[in-house]
C-alpha cells in the first residue's frame, strides 16, 4: 500500500536536498517510520482512502500519539470517539451525534 503522508514525503525531499542518494533518503524515511511513527510507545493510526479509478487504497496520513503511562492510549490524549458515545450512537444515532454537533457549533 502506498503511503502519501506529507510528513514522510517532506522527510524524503529533505534528505535529497541535503545531497543524500535516493537509497539513503529511502533508508532515512524507513528508519523514521519504523522507529518513531510505529514505535511501541505510540498508538499509531492510519488515515486511508481509495483511488477509485484504480481500485487501490493509499495511506493519506498517520496519527501517532504517545501511549499513556498506564498503557492506555487515551490517557493524556484527546479521545476522538469515546466508547460511551459510540455505544450511545448505536442505541439512538440521531440524538447522540446531534448533541455533539450542537455543542461543537456553540
Amino acid at each position: 500500500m502506498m503511503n502519501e503522508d506529507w510528513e514522510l514525503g517532506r522527510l524524503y525531499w529533505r534528505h535529497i536536498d541535503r545531497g543524500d542518494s535516493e537509497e539513503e533518503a529511502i533508508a532515512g524515511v524507513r528508519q523514521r517510520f519504523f522507529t518513531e511513527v510505529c514505535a511501541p510507545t505510540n498508538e499509531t493510526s492510519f488515515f486511508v482512502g481509495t483511488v477509485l479509478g484504480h481500485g487501490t487504497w493509499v495511506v493519506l496520513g498517520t496519527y501517532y500519539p504517545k501511549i499513556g503511562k498506564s498503557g492506555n492510549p487515551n490517557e493524556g490524549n484527546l479521545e476522538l470517539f469515546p466508547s460511551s458515545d459510540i455505544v450511545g450512537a448505536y442505541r439512538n444515532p440521531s440524538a447522540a451525534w446531534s448533541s455533539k454537533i450542537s455543542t461543537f457549533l456553540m
Side-chain angles (χ1 to χ4, degrees):
M1 182 181 296
M2 180 184 274
N3 191 331
E4 293 285 333
D5 183 76
W6 72 268
E7 184 179 1
L8 295 177
R10 183 64 194 117
L11 178 60
Y12 171 84
W13 287 109
R14 190 176 308 133
H15 278 281
I16 296 296
D17 290 345
R18 72 175 183 205
D20 291 349
S21 69
E22 184 175 351
E23 291 79 22
E24 291 170 324
I26 292 170
V29 170
R30 283 181 187 244
Q31 187 274 333
R32 162 115 186 188
F33 185 76
F34 290 114
T35 61
E36 292 182 37
V37 175
C38 294
T41 57
N42 295 338
E43 180 67 22
T44 306
S45 298
F46 299 96
F47 297 99
V48 298
T50 63
V51 181
L52 190 58
H54 299 285
T56 60
W57 288 84
V58 295
V59 175
L60 301 172
T62 53
Y63 176 64
Y64 48 102
K66 295 282 185 204
I67 294 176
K69 292 178 185 174
S70 69
N72 179 353
N74 294 317
E75 180 184 295
N77 297 313
L78 178 62
E79 192 172 353
L80 185 58
F81 297 109
S83 56
S84 61
D85 287 351
I86 292 172
V87 171
Y90 282 122
R91 291 189 183 133
N92 188 354
S94 60
W97 295 110
S98 64
S99 67
K100 287 287 185 190
I101 292 170
S102 63
T103 302
F104 175 75
L105 294 175
M106 291 182 166

